[in-house]
mmCIF file with all atom_site columns, all heavy atoms in Angstrom:
data_model
loop_
_atom_site.group_PDB
_atom_site.id
_atom_site.type_symbol
_atom_site.label_atom_id
_atom_site.label_alt_id
_atom_site.label_comp_id
_atom_site.label_asym_id
_atom_site.label_entity_id
_atom_site.label_seq_id
_atom_site.pdbx_PDB_ins_code
_atom_site.Cartn_x
_atom_site.Cartn_y
_atom_site.Cartn_z
_atom_site.occupancy
_atom_site.B_iso_or_equiv
_atom_site.pdbx_formal_charge
_atom_site.auth_seq_id
_atom_site.auth_comp_id
_atom_site.auth_asym_id
_atom_site.auth_atom_id
_atom_site.pdbx_PDB_model_num
ATOM 1   N N   . ARG A 1 1  ? 11.091  -3.681 3.708   1.00 0.00 ? 24 ARG A N   1
ATOM 2   C CA  . ARG A 1 1  ? 10.050  -4.539 3.141   1.00 0.00 ? 24 ARG A CA  1
ATOM 3   C C   . ARG A 1 1  ? 9.567   -3.951 1.821   1.00 0.00 ? 24 ARG A C   1
ATOM 4   O O   . ARG A 1 1  ? 9.324   -2.740 1.720   1.00 0.00 ? 24 ARG A O   1
ATOM 5   C CB  . ARG A 1 1  ? 8.871   -4.661 4.111   1.00 0.00 ? 24 ARG A CB  1
ATOM 6   C CG  . ARG A 1 1  ? 7.714   -5.547 3.611   1.00 0.00 ? 24 ARG A CG  1
ATOM 7   C CD  . ARG A 1 1  ? 6.648   -5.675 4.691   1.00 0.00 ? 24 ARG A CD  1
ATOM 8   N NE  . ARG A 1 1  ? 5.572   -6.564 4.291   1.00 0.00 ? 24 ARG A NE  1
ATOM 9   C CZ  . ARG A 1 1  ? 4.439   -6.179 3.715   1.00 0.00 ? 24 ARG A CZ  1
ATOM 10  N NH1 . ARG A 1 1  ? 4.228   -4.883 3.472   1.00 0.00 ? 24 ARG A NH1 1
ATOM 11  N NH2 . ARG A 1 1  ? 3.512   -7.060 3.383   1.00 0.00 ? 24 ARG A NH2 1
ATOM 12  N N   . VAL A 1 2  ? 9.451   -4.810 0.828   1.00 0.00 ? 25 VAL A N   1
ATOM 13  C CA  . VAL A 1 2  ? 8.874   -4.415 -0.445  1.00 0.00 ? 25 VAL A CA  1
ATOM 14  C C   . VAL A 1 2  ? 7.633   -5.271 -0.644  1.00 0.00 ? 25 VAL A C   1
ATOM 15  O O   . VAL A 1 2  ? 7.642   -6.475 -0.379  1.00 0.00 ? 25 VAL A O   1
ATOM 16  C CB  . VAL A 1 2  ? 9.879   -4.592 -1.605  1.00 0.00 ? 25 VAL A CB  1
ATOM 17  C CG1 . VAL A 1 2  ? 10.365  -6.028 -1.701  1.00 0.00 ? 25 VAL A CG1 1
ATOM 18  C CG2 . VAL A 1 2  ? 9.265   -4.130 -2.914  1.00 0.00 ? 25 VAL A CG2 1
ATOM 19  N N   . SER A 1 3  ? 6.528   -4.642 -1.093  1.00 0.00 ? 26 SER A N   1
ATOM 20  C CA  . SER A 1 3  ? 5.267   -5.374 -1.143  1.00 0.00 ? 26 SER A CA  1
ATOM 21  C C   . SER A 1 3  ? 4.396   -4.918 -2.307  1.00 0.00 ? 26 SER A C   1
ATOM 22  O O   . SER A 1 3  ? 4.553   -3.821 -2.853  1.00 0.00 ? 26 SER A O   1
ATOM 23  C CB  . SER A 1 3  ? 4.500   -5.194 0.171   1.00 0.00 ? 26 SER A CB  1
ATOM 24  O OG  . SER A 1 3  ? 4.163   -3.825 0.362   1.00 0.00 ? 26 SER A OG  1
ATOM 25  N N   . HIS A 1 4  ? 3.471   -5.778 -2.674  1.00 0.00 ? 27 HIS A N   1
ATOM 26  C CA  . HIS A 1 4  ? 2.409   -5.461 -3.624  1.00 0.00 ? 27 HIS A CA  1
ATOM 27  C C   . HIS A 1 4  ? 1.137   -5.258 -2.811  1.00 0.00 ? 27 HIS A C   1
ATOM 28  O O   . HIS A 1 4  ? 0.672   -6.165 -2.129  1.00 0.00 ? 27 HIS A O   1
ATOM 29  C CB  . HIS A 1 4  ? 2.231   -6.602 -4.628  1.00 0.00 ? 27 HIS A CB  1
ATOM 30  C CG  . HIS A 1 4  ? 1.056   -6.411 -5.537  1.00 0.00 ? 27 HIS A CG  1
ATOM 31  N ND1 . HIS A 1 4  ? 1.163   -5.755 -6.750  1.00 0.00 ? 27 HIS A ND1 1
ATOM 32  C CD2 . HIS A 1 4  ? -0.247  -6.780 -5.420  1.00 0.00 ? 27 HIS A CD2 1
ATOM 33  C CE1 . HIS A 1 4  ? -0.029  -5.739 -7.330  1.00 0.00 ? 27 HIS A CE1 1
ATOM 34  N NE2 . HIS A 1 4  ? -0.895  -6.353 -6.539  1.00 0.00 ? 27 HIS A NE2 1
ATOM 35  N N   . ASP A 1 5  ? 0.558   -4.054 -2.848  1.00 0.00 ? 28 ASP A N   1
ATOM 36  C CA  . ASP A 1 5  ? -0.594  -3.702 -2.022  1.00 0.00 ? 28 ASP A CA  1
ATOM 37  C C   . ASP A 1 5  ? -1.828  -3.469 -2.886  1.00 0.00 ? 28 ASP A C   1
ATOM 38  O O   . ASP A 1 5  ? -1.744  -2.898 -3.982  1.00 0.00 ? 28 ASP A O   1
ATOM 39  C CB  . ASP A 1 5  ? -0.315  -2.430 -1.204  1.00 0.00 ? 28 ASP A CB  1
ATOM 40  C CG  . ASP A 1 5  ? 0.861   -2.602 -0.260  1.00 0.00 ? 28 ASP A CG  1
ATOM 41  O OD1 . ASP A 1 5  ? 1.149   -3.752 0.110   1.00 0.00 ? 28 ASP A OD1 1
ATOM 42  O OD2 . ASP A 1 5  ? 1.487   -1.586 0.086   1.00 0.00 ? 28 ASP A OD2 1
ATOM 43  N N   . ASN A 1 6  ? -2.948  -3.890 -2.356  1.00 0.00 ? 29 ASN A N   1
ATOM 44  C CA  . ASN A 1 6  ? -4.235  -3.614 -2.980  1.00 0.00 ? 29 ASN A CA  1
ATOM 45  C C   . ASN A 1 6  ? -5.158  -3.061 -1.915  1.00 0.00 ? 29 ASN A C   1
ATOM 46  O O   . ASN A 1 6  ? -5.394  -3.704 -0.889  1.00 0.00 ? 29 ASN A O   1
ATOM 47  C CB  . ASN A 1 6  ? -4.826  -4.894 -3.590  1.00 0.00 ? 29 ASN A CB  1
ATOM 48  C CG  . ASN A 1 6  ? -6.175  -4.626 -4.245  1.00 0.00 ? 29 ASN A CG  1
ATOM 49  O OD1 . ASN A 1 6  ? -7.202  -4.681 -3.575  1.00 0.00 ? 29 ASN A OD1 1
ATOM 50  N ND2 . ASN A 1 6  ? -6.166  -4.336 -5.535  1.00 0.00 ? 29 ASN A ND2 1
ATOM 51  N N   . ILE A 1 7  ? -5.650  -1.848 -2.124  1.00 0.00 ? 30 ILE A N   1
ATOM 52  C CA  . ILE A 1 7  ? -6.485  -1.168 -1.136  1.00 0.00 ? 30 ILE A CA  1
ATOM 53  C C   . ILE A 1 7  ? -7.806  -0.787 -1.788  1.00 0.00 ? 30 ILE A C   1
ATOM 54  O O   . ILE A 1 7  ? -7.825  -0.162 -2.865  1.00 0.00 ? 30 ILE A O   1
ATOM 55  C CB  . ILE A 1 7  ? -5.795  0.103  -0.593  1.00 0.00 ? 30 ILE A CB  1
ATOM 56  C CG1 . ILE A 1 7  ? -4.391  -0.231 -0.084  1.00 0.00 ? 30 ILE A CG1 1
ATOM 57  C CG2 . ILE A 1 7  ? -6.626  0.734  0.508   1.00 0.00 ? 30 ILE A CG2 1
ATOM 58  C CD1 . ILE A 1 7  ? -3.546  0.990  0.192   1.00 0.00 ? 30 ILE A CD1 1
ATOM 59  N N   . LYS A 1 8  ? -8.900  -1.134 -1.153  1.00 0.00 ? 31 LYS A N   1
ATOM 60  C CA  . LYS A 1 8  ? -10.221 -0.788 -1.666  1.00 0.00 ? 31 LYS A CA  1
ATOM 61  C C   . LYS A 1 8  ? -10.894 0.176  -0.709  1.00 0.00 ? 31 LYS A C   1
ATOM 62  O O   . LYS A 1 8  ? -11.095 -0.132 0.458   1.00 0.00 ? 31 LYS A O   1
ATOM 63  C CB  . LYS A 1 8  ? -11.090 -2.030 -1.841  1.00 0.00 ? 31 LYS A CB  1
ATOM 64  C CG  . LYS A 1 8  ? -12.462 -1.722 -2.444  1.00 0.00 ? 31 LYS A CG  1
ATOM 65  C CD  . LYS A 1 8  ? -13.246 -2.988 -2.716  1.00 0.00 ? 31 LYS A CD  1
ATOM 66  C CE  . LYS A 1 8  ? -14.585 -2.665 -3.380  1.00 0.00 ? 31 LYS A CE  1
ATOM 67  N NZ  . LYS A 1 8  ? -15.355 -3.890 -3.688  1.00 0.00 ? 31 LYS A NZ  1
ATOM 68  N N   . ASP A 1 9  ? -11.217 1.363  -1.221  1.00 0.00 ? 32 ASP A N   1
ATOM 69  C CA  . ASP A 1 9  ? -11.899 2.390  -0.441  1.00 0.00 ? 32 ASP A CA  1
ATOM 70  C C   . ASP A 1 9  ? -13.402 2.227  -0.663  1.00 0.00 ? 32 ASP A C   1
ATOM 71  O O   . ASP A 1 9  ? -13.918 2.456  -1.754  1.00 0.00 ? 32 ASP A O   1
ATOM 72  C CB  . ASP A 1 9  ? -11.431 3.778  -0.894  1.00 0.00 ? 32 ASP A CB  1
ATOM 73  C CG  . ASP A 1 9  ? -11.980 4.881  -0.002  1.00 0.00 ? 32 ASP A CG  1
ATOM 74  O OD1 . ASP A 1 9  ? -13.042 4.688  0.613   1.00 0.00 ? 32 ASP A OD1 1
ATOM 75  O OD2 . ASP A 1 9  ? -11.323 5.933  0.078   1.00 0.00 ? 32 ASP A OD2 1
ATOM 76  N N   . HIS A 1 10 ? -14.118 1.818  0.405   1.00 0.00 ? 33 HIS A N   1
ATOM 77  C CA  . HIS A 1 10 ? -15.557 1.568  0.263   1.00 0.00 ? 33 HIS A CA  1
ATOM 78  C C   . HIS A 1 10 ? -16.348 2.860  0.058   1.00 0.00 ? 33 HIS A C   1
ATOM 79  O O   . HIS A 1 10 ? -17.462 2.834  -0.457  1.00 0.00 ? 33 HIS A O   1
ATOM 80  C CB  . HIS A 1 10 ? -16.077 0.821  1.492   1.00 0.00 ? 33 HIS A CB  1
ATOM 81  C CG  . HIS A 1 10 ? -15.682 -0.621 1.506   1.00 0.00 ? 33 HIS A CG  1
ATOM 82  N ND1 . HIS A 1 10 ? -16.489 -1.628 1.058   1.00 0.00 ? 33 HIS A ND1 1
ATOM 83  C CD2 . HIS A 1 10 ? -14.521 -1.208 1.902   1.00 0.00 ? 33 HIS A CD2 1
ATOM 84  C CE1 . HIS A 1 10 ? -15.863 -2.788 1.187   1.00 0.00 ? 33 HIS A CE1 1
ATOM 85  N NE2 . HIS A 1 10 ? -14.664 -2.561 1.695   1.00 0.00 ? 33 HIS A NE2 1
ATOM 86  N N   . GLN A 1 11 ? -15.776 3.980  0.499   1.00 0.00 ? 34 GLN A N   1
ATOM 87  C CA  . GLN A 1 11 ? -16.485 5.248  0.311   1.00 0.00 ? 34 GLN A CA  1
ATOM 88  C C   . GLN A 1 11 ? -16.534 5.619  -1.170  1.00 0.00 ? 34 GLN A C   1
ATOM 89  O O   . GLN A 1 11 ? -17.550 6.042  -1.704  1.00 0.00 ? 34 GLN A O   1
ATOM 90  C CB  . GLN A 1 11 ? -15.790 6.356  1.104   1.00 0.00 ? 34 GLN A CB  1
ATOM 91  C CG  . GLN A 1 11 ? -16.538 7.687  1.032   1.00 0.00 ? 34 GLN A CG  1
ATOM 92  C CD  . GLN A 1 11 ? -15.842 8.755  1.852   1.00 0.00 ? 34 GLN A CD  1
ATOM 93  O OE1 . GLN A 1 11 ? -14.740 8.555  2.328   1.00 0.00 ? 34 GLN A OE1 1
ATOM 94  N NE2 . GLN A 1 11 ? -16.507 9.872  2.037   1.00 0.00 ? 34 GLN A NE2 1
ATOM 95  N N   . SER A 1 12 ? -15.406 5.372  -1.888  1.00 0.00 ? 35 SER A N   1
ATOM 96  C CA  . SER A 1 12 ? -15.375 5.694  -3.315  1.00 0.00 ? 35 SER A CA  1
ATOM 97  C C   . SER A 1 12 ? -15.671 4.485  -4.185  1.00 0.00 ? 35 SER A C   1
ATOM 98  O O   . SER A 1 12 ? -15.830 4.606  -5.391  1.00 0.00 ? 35 SER A O   1
ATOM 99  C CB  . SER A 1 12 ? -13.995 6.257  -3.685  1.00 0.00 ? 35 SER A CB  1
ATOM 100 O OG  . SER A 1 12 ? -12.998 5.297  -3.383  1.00 0.00 ? 35 SER A OG  1
ATOM 101 N N   . GLN A 1 13 ? -15.712 3.285  -3.548  1.00 0.00 ? 36 GLN A N   1
ATOM 102 C CA  . GLN A 1 13 ? -16.004 2.036  -4.259  1.00 0.00 ? 36 GLN A CA  1
ATOM 103 C C   . GLN A 1 13 ? -15.008 1.775  -5.392  1.00 0.00 ? 36 GLN A C   1
ATOM 104 O O   . GLN A 1 13 ? -15.359 1.291  -6.452  1.00 0.00 ? 36 GLN A O   1
ATOM 105 C CB  . GLN A 1 13 ? -17.440 2.062  -4.823  1.00 0.00 ? 36 GLN A CB  1
ATOM 106 C CG  . GLN A 1 13 ? -18.512 2.080  -3.757  1.00 0.00 ? 36 GLN A CG  1
ATOM 107 C CD  . GLN A 1 13 ? -18.495 0.816  -2.918  1.00 0.00 ? 36 GLN A CD  1
ATOM 108 O OE1 . GLN A 1 13 ? -18.428 -0.277 -3.443  1.00 0.00 ? 36 GLN A OE1 1
ATOM 109 N NE2 . GLN A 1 13 ? -18.531 0.991  -1.612  1.00 0.00 ? 36 GLN A NE2 1
ATOM 110 N N   . ILE A 1 14 ? -13.739 2.123  -5.163  1.00 0.00 ? 37 ILE A N   1
ATOM 111 C CA  . ILE A 1 14 ? -12.713 1.860  -6.172  1.00 0.00 ? 37 ILE A CA  1
ATOM 112 C C   . ILE A 1 14 ? -11.517 1.195  -5.504  1.00 0.00 ? 37 ILE A C   1
ATOM 113 O O   . ILE A 1 14 ? -11.305 1.311  -4.289  1.00 0.00 ? 37 ILE A O   1
ATOM 114 C CB  . ILE A 1 14 ? -12.255 3.158  -6.879  1.00 0.00 ? 37 ILE A CB  1
ATOM 115 C CG1 . ILE A 1 14 ? -11.620 4.141  -5.855  1.00 0.00 ? 37 ILE A CG1 1
ATOM 116 C CG2 . ILE A 1 14 ? -13.408 3.814  -7.616  1.00 0.00 ? 37 ILE A CG2 1
ATOM 117 C CD1 . ILE A 1 14 ? -10.978 5.324  -6.519  1.00 0.00 ? 37 ILE A CD1 1
ATOM 118 N N   . ASP A 1 15 ? -10.770 0.479  -6.326  1.00 0.00 ? 38 ASP A N   1
ATOM 119 C CA  . ASP A 1 15 ? -9.518  -0.083 -5.858  1.00 0.00 ? 38 ASP A CA  1
ATOM 120 C C   . ASP A 1 15 ? -8.421  0.950  -6.056  1.00 0.00 ? 38 ASP A C   1
ATOM 121 O O   . ASP A 1 15 ? -8.289  1.535  -7.131  1.00 0.00 ? 38 ASP A O   1
ATOM 122 C CB  . ASP A 1 15 ? -9.148  -1.342 -6.648  1.00 0.00 ? 38 ASP A CB  1
ATOM 123 C CG  . ASP A 1 15 ? -10.085 -2.491 -6.308  1.00 0.00 ? 38 ASP A CG  1
ATOM 124 O OD1 . ASP A 1 15 ? -10.756 -2.392 -5.265  1.00 0.00 ? 38 ASP A OD1 1
ATOM 125 O OD2 . ASP A 1 15 ? -10.123 -3.462 -7.084  1.00 0.00 ? 38 ASP A OD2 1
ATOM 126 N N   . ILE A 1 16 ? -7.640  1.144  -5.006  1.00 0.00 ? 39 ILE A N   1
ATOM 127 C CA  . ILE A 1 16 ? -6.564  2.129  -5.083  1.00 0.00 ? 39 ILE A CA  1
ATOM 128 C C   . ILE A 1 16 ? -5.300  1.394  -5.494  1.00 0.00 ? 39 ILE A C   1
ATOM 129 O O   . ILE A 1 16 ? -4.508  0.954  -4.672  1.00 0.00 ? 39 ILE A O   1
ATOM 130 C CB  . ILE A 1 16 ? -6.378  2.857  -3.739  1.00 0.00 ? 39 ILE A CB  1
ATOM 131 C CG1 . ILE A 1 16 ? -7.707  3.427  -3.267  1.00 0.00 ? 39 ILE A CG1 1
ATOM 132 C CG2 . ILE A 1 16 ? -5.343  3.948  -3.856  1.00 0.00 ? 39 ILE A CG2 1
ATOM 133 C CD1 . ILE A 1 16 ? -7.638  4.046  -1.893  1.00 0.00 ? 39 ILE A CD1 1
ATOM 134 N N   . GLU A 1 17 ? -5.112  1.168  -6.788  1.00 0.00 ? 40 GLU A N   1
ATOM 135 C CA  . GLU A 1 17 ? -3.918  0.481  -7.263  1.00 0.00 ? 40 GLU A CA  1
ATOM 136 C C   . GLU A 1 17 ? -3.496  1.001  -8.633  1.00 0.00 ? 40 GLU A C   1
ATOM 137 O O   . GLU A 1 17 ? -2.906  0.285  -9.429  1.00 0.00 ? 40 GLU A O   1
ATOM 138 C CB  . GLU A 1 17 ? -4.161  -1.025 -7.312  1.00 0.00 ? 40 GLU A CB  1
ATOM 139 C CG  . GLU A 1 17 ? -5.364  -1.450 -8.128  1.00 0.00 ? 40 GLU A CG  1
ATOM 140 C CD  . GLU A 1 17 ? -5.502  -2.969 -8.203  1.00 0.00 ? 40 GLU A CD  1
ATOM 141 O OE1 . GLU A 1 17 ? -4.595  -3.678 -7.743  1.00 0.00 ? 40 GLU A OE1 1
ATOM 142 O OE2 . GLU A 1 17 ? -6.516  -3.440 -8.726  1.00 0.00 ? 40 GLU A OE2 1
ATOM 143 N N   . SER A 1 18 ? -3.858  2.231  -8.889  1.00 0.00 ? 41 SER A N   1
ATOM 144 C CA  . SER A 1 18 ? -3.465  2.825  -10.156 1.00 0.00 ? 41 SER A CA  1
ATOM 145 C C   . SER A 1 18 ? -1.964  3.073  -10.170 1.00 0.00 ? 41 SER A C   1
ATOM 146 O O   . SER A 1 18 ? -1.358  3.338  -9.148  1.00 0.00 ? 41 SER A O   1
ATOM 147 C CB  . SER A 1 18 ? -4.210  4.153  -10.374 1.00 0.00 ? 41 SER A CB  1
ATOM 148 O OG  . SER A 1 18 ? -3.928  5.031  -9.325  1.00 0.00 ? 41 SER A OG  1
ATOM 149 N N   . GLY A 1 19 ? -1.352  2.981  -11.356 1.00 0.00 ? 42 GLY A N   1
ATOM 150 C CA  . GLY A 1 19 ? 0.079   3.208  -11.458 1.00 0.00 ? 42 GLY A CA  1
ATOM 151 C C   . GLY A 1 19 ? 0.847   2.066  -10.813 1.00 0.00 ? 42 GLY A C   1
ATOM 152 O O   . GLY A 1 19 ? 0.440   0.912  -10.833 1.00 0.00 ? 42 GLY A O   1
ATOM 153 N N   . ASP A 1 20 ? 1.993   2.408  -10.258 1.00 0.00 ? 43 ASP A N   1
ATOM 154 C CA  . ASP A 1 20 ? 2.861   1.426  -9.614  1.00 0.00 ? 43 ASP A CA  1
ATOM 155 C C   . ASP A 1 20 ? 2.309   1.102  -8.233  1.00 0.00 ? 43 ASP A C   1
ATOM 156 O O   . ASP A 1 20 ? 2.247   1.958  -7.359  1.00 0.00 ? 43 ASP A O   1
ATOM 157 C CB  . ASP A 1 20 ? 4.275   2.007  -9.501  1.00 0.00 ? 43 ASP A CB  1
ATOM 158 C CG  . ASP A 1 20 ? 5.246   1.000  -8.918  1.00 0.00 ? 43 ASP A CG  1
ATOM 159 O OD1 . ASP A 1 20 ? 4.868   -0.181 -8.771  1.00 0.00 ? 43 ASP A OD1 1
ATOM 160 O OD2 . ASP A 1 20 ? 6.377   1.409  -8.615  1.00 0.00 ? 43 ASP A OD2 1
ATOM 161 N N   . ASP A 1 21 ? 1.881   -0.141 -8.001  1.00 0.00 ? 44 ASP A N   1
ATOM 162 C CA  . ASP A 1 21 ? 1.309   -0.521 -6.716  1.00 0.00 ? 44 ASP A CA  1
ATOM 163 C C   . ASP A 1 21 ? 2.337   -1.212 -5.825  1.00 0.00 ? 44 ASP A C   1
ATOM 164 O O   . ASP A 1 21 ? 1.979   -1.918 -4.892  1.00 0.00 ? 44 ASP A O   1
ATOM 165 C CB  . ASP A 1 21 ? 0.097   -1.431 -6.916  1.00 0.00 ? 44 ASP A CB  1
ATOM 166 C CG  . ASP A 1 21 ? 0.456   -2.686 -7.711  1.00 0.00 ? 44 ASP A CG  1
ATOM 167 O OD1 . ASP A 1 21 ? 1.621   -2.798 -8.124  1.00 0.00 ? 44 ASP A OD1 1
ATOM 168 O OD2 . ASP A 1 21 ? -0.440  -3.531 -7.886  1.00 0.00 ? 44 ASP A OD2 1
ATOM 169 N N   . THR A 1 22 ? 3.606   -1.028 -6.086  1.00 0.00 ? 45 THR A N   1
ATOM 170 C CA  . THR A 1 22 ? 4.667   -1.576 -5.240  1.00 0.00 ? 45 THR A CA  1
ATOM 171 C C   . THR A 1 22 ? 5.009   -0.582 -4.140  1.00 0.00 ? 45 THR A C   1
ATOM 172 O O   . THR A 1 22 ? 5.256   0.593  -4.406  1.00 0.00 ? 45 THR A O   1
ATOM 173 C CB  . THR A 1 22 ? 5.926   -1.872 -6.062  1.00 0.00 ? 45 THR A CB  1
ATOM 174 O OG1 . THR A 1 22 ? 5.599   -2.811 -7.083  1.00 0.00 ? 45 THR A OG1 1
ATOM 175 C CG2 . THR A 1 22 ? 7.018   -2.440 -5.178  1.00 0.00 ? 45 THR A CG2 1
ATOM 176 N N   . SER A 1 23 ? 5.001   -1.049 -2.911  1.00 0.00 ? 46 SER A N   1
ATOM 177 C CA  . SER A 1 23 ? 5.325   -0.201 -1.758  1.00 0.00 ? 46 SER A CA  1
ATOM 178 C C   . SER A 1 23 ? 6.682   -0.592 -1.193  1.00 0.00 ? 46 SER A C   1
ATOM 179 O O   . SER A 1 23 ? 7.072   -1.762 -1.217  1.00 0.00 ? 46 SER A O   1
ATOM 180 C CB  . SER A 1 23 ? 4.257   -0.341 -0.667  1.00 0.00 ? 46 SER A CB  1
ATOM 181 O OG  . SER A 1 23 ? 3.017   0.135  -1.120  1.00 0.00 ? 46 SER A OG  1
ATOM 182 N N   . HIS A 1 24 ? 7.373   0.417  -0.658  1.00 0.00 ? 47 HIS A N   1
ATOM 183 C CA  . HIS A 1 24 ? 8.656   0.196  -0.004  1.00 0.00 ? 47 HIS A CA  1
ATOM 184 C C   . HIS A 1 24 ? 8.560   0.748  1.415   1.00 0.00 ? 47 HIS A C   1
ATOM 185 O O   . HIS A 1 24 ? 8.138   1.885  1.615   1.00 0.00 ? 47 HIS A O   1
ATOM 186 C CB  . HIS A 1 24 ? 9.786   0.901  -0.764  1.00 0.00 ? 47 HIS A CB  1
ATOM 187 C CG  . HIS A 1 24 ? 9.920   0.427  -2.181  1.00 0.00 ? 47 HIS A CG  1
ATOM 188 N ND1 . HIS A 1 24 ? 10.719  -0.621 -2.557  1.00 0.00 ? 47 HIS A ND1 1
ATOM 189 C CD2 . HIS A 1 24 ? 9.317   0.876  -3.328  1.00 0.00 ? 47 HIS A CD2 1
ATOM 190 C CE1 . HIS A 1 24 ? 10.625  -0.814 -3.853  1.00 0.00 ? 47 HIS A CE1 1
ATOM 191 N NE2 . HIS A 1 24 ? 9.788   0.084  -4.352  1.00 0.00 ? 47 HIS A NE2 1
ATOM 192 N N   . GLU A 1 25 ? 8.966   -0.061 2.372   1.00 0.00 ? 48 GLU A N   1
ATOM 193 C CA  . GLU A 1 25 ? 8.877   0.343  3.775   1.00 0.00 ? 48 GLU A CA  1
ATOM 194 C C   . GLU A 1 25 ? 10.233  0.163  4.434   1.00 0.00 ? 48 GLU A C   1
ATOM 195 O O   . GLU A 1 25 ? 10.880  -0.882 4.279   1.00 0.00 ? 48 GLU A O   1
ATOM 196 C CB  . GLU A 1 25 ? 7.825   -0.490 4.505   1.00 0.00 ? 48 GLU A CB  1
ATOM 197 C CG  . GLU A 1 25 ? 7.647   -0.113 5.970   1.00 0.00 ? 48 GLU A CG  1
ATOM 198 C CD  . GLU A 1 25 ? 6.530   -0.906 6.626   1.00 0.00 ? 48 GLU A CD  1
ATOM 199 O OE1 . GLU A 1 25 ? 5.913   -1.753 5.937   1.00 0.00 ? 48 GLU A OE1 1
ATOM 200 O OE2 . GLU A 1 25 ? 6.275   -0.677 7.815   1.00 0.00 ? 48 GLU A OE2 1
ATOM 201 N N   . PHE A 1 26 ? 10.638  1.165  5.193   1.00 0.00 ? 49 PHE A N   1
ATOM 202 C CA  . PHE A 1 26 ? 11.907  1.103  5.916   1.00 0.00 ? 49 PHE A CA  1
ATOM 203 C C   . PHE A 1 26 ? 11.676  1.484  7.373   1.00 0.00 ? 49 PHE A C   1
ATOM 204 O O   . PHE A 1 26 ? 11.008  2.474  7.667   1.00 0.00 ? 49 PHE A O   1
ATOM 205 C CB  . PHE A 1 26 ? 12.946  2.045  5.291   1.00 0.00 ? 49 PHE A CB  1
ATOM 206 C CG  . PHE A 1 26 ? 14.246  2.067  6.040   1.00 0.00 ? 49 PHE A CG  1
ATOM 207 C CD1 . PHE A 1 26 ? 15.130  1.001  5.962   1.00 0.00 ? 49 PHE A CD1 1
ATOM 208 C CD2 . PHE A 1 26 ? 14.583  3.150  6.839   1.00 0.00 ? 49 PHE A CD2 1
ATOM 209 C CE1 . PHE A 1 26 ? 16.327  1.013  6.658   1.00 0.00 ? 49 PHE A CE1 1
ATOM 210 C CE2 . PHE A 1 26 ? 15.776  3.174  7.539   1.00 0.00 ? 49 PHE A CE2 1
ATOM 211 C CZ  . PHE A 1 26 ? 16.653  2.093  7.445   1.00 0.00 ? 49 PHE A CZ  1
ATOM 212 N N   . GLN A 1 27 ? 12.233  0.658  8.286   1.00 0.00 ? 50 GLN A N   1
ATOM 213 C CA  . GLN A 1 27 ? 12.117  0.925  9.717   1.00 0.00 ? 50 GLN A CA  1
ATOM 214 C C   . GLN A 1 27 ? 13.507  0.861  10.344  1.00 0.00 ? 50 GLN A C   1
ATOM 215 O O   . GLN A 1 27 ? 14.290  -0.046 10.036  1.00 0.00 ? 50 GLN A O   1
ATOM 216 C CB  . GLN A 1 27 ? 11.208  -0.097 10.399  1.00 0.00 ? 50 GLN A CB  1
ATOM 217 C CG  . GLN A 1 27 ? 9.787   -0.130 9.869   1.00 0.00 ? 50 GLN A CG  1
ATOM 218 C CD  . GLN A 1 27 ? 8.946   -1.194 10.546  1.00 0.00 ? 50 GLN A CD  1
ATOM 219 O OE1 . GLN A 1 27 ? 9.256   -1.644 11.634  1.00 0.00 ? 50 GLN A OE1 1
ATOM 220 N NE2 . GLN A 1 27 ? 7.886   -1.604 9.880   1.00 0.00 ? 50 GLN A NE2 1
ATOM 221 N N   . ALA A 1 28 ? 13.772  1.793  11.229  1.00 0.00 ? 51 ALA A N   1
ATOM 222 C CA  . ALA A 1 28 ? 15.051  1.809  11.948  1.00 0.00 ? 51 ALA A CA  1
ATOM 223 C C   . ALA A 1 28 ? 14.792  2.281  13.374  1.00 0.00 ? 51 ALA A C   1
ATOM 224 O O   . ALA A 1 28 ? 14.254  3.373  13.582  1.00 0.00 ? 51 ALA A O   1
ATOM 225 C CB  . ALA A 1 28 ? 16.053  2.733  11.259  1.00 0.00 ? 51 ALA A CB  1
ATOM 226 N N   . LYS A 1 29 ? 15.147  1.432  14.324  1.00 0.00 ? 52 LYS A N   1
ATOM 227 C CA  . LYS A 1 29 ? 14.992  1.796  15.732  1.00 0.00 ? 52 LYS A CA  1
ATOM 228 C C   . LYS A 1 29 ? 16.318  1.548  16.434  1.00 0.00 ? 52 LYS A C   1
ATOM 229 O O   . LYS A 1 29 ? 16.948  0.500  16.256  1.00 0.00 ? 52 LYS A O   1
ATOM 230 C CB  . LYS A 1 29 ? 13.891  0.965  16.393  1.00 0.00 ? 52 LYS A CB  1
ATOM 231 C CG  . LYS A 1 29 ? 13.647  1.340  17.858  1.00 0.00 ? 52 LYS A CG  1
ATOM 232 C CD  . LYS A 1 29 ? 12.454  0.586  18.426  1.00 0.00 ? 52 LYS A CD  1
ATOM 233 C CE  . LYS A 1 29 ? 12.240  0.929  19.896  1.00 0.00 ? 52 LYS A CE  1
ATOM 234 N NZ  . LYS A 1 29 ? 11.937  2.363  20.092  1.00 0.00 ? 52 LYS A NZ  1
ATOM 235 N N   . PHE A 1 30 ? 16.728  2.530  17.240  1.00 0.00 ? 53 PHE A N   1
ATOM 236 C CA  . PHE A 1 30 ? 18.008  2.440  17.940  1.00 0.00 ? 53 PHE A CA  1
ATOM 237 C C   . PHE A 1 30 ? 17.829  2.870  19.388  1.00 0.00 ? 53 PHE A C   1
ATOM 238 O O   . PHE A 1 30 ? 17.167  3.871  19.676  1.00 0.00 ? 53 PHE A O   1
ATOM 239 C CB  . PHE A 1 30 ? 19.052  3.333  17.263  1.00 0.00 ? 53 PHE A CB  1
ATOM 240 C CG  . PHE A 1 30 ? 20.350  3.436  18.023  1.00 0.00 ? 53 PHE A CG  1
ATOM 241 C CD1 . PHE A 1 30 ? 21.273  2.394  17.983  1.00 0.00 ? 53 PHE A CD1 1
ATOM 242 C CD2 . PHE A 1 30 ? 20.640  4.556  18.789  1.00 0.00 ? 53 PHE A CD2 1
ATOM 243 C CE1 . PHE A 1 30 ? 22.468  2.486  18.678  1.00 0.00 ? 53 PHE A CE1 1
ATOM 244 C CE2 . PHE A 1 30 ? 21.827  4.658  19.489  1.00 0.00 ? 53 PHE A CE2 1
ATOM 245 C CZ  . PHE A 1 30 ? 22.746  3.616  19.432  1.00 0.00 ? 53 PHE A CZ  1
#
């Protein structure tokens, strides 16, 4: 899965999306 993520940390009151905000996820179960 490839995704565009936006995360807001209420403790720091900032959006965590600096730089490349593209995430890559890989899952393998056997």
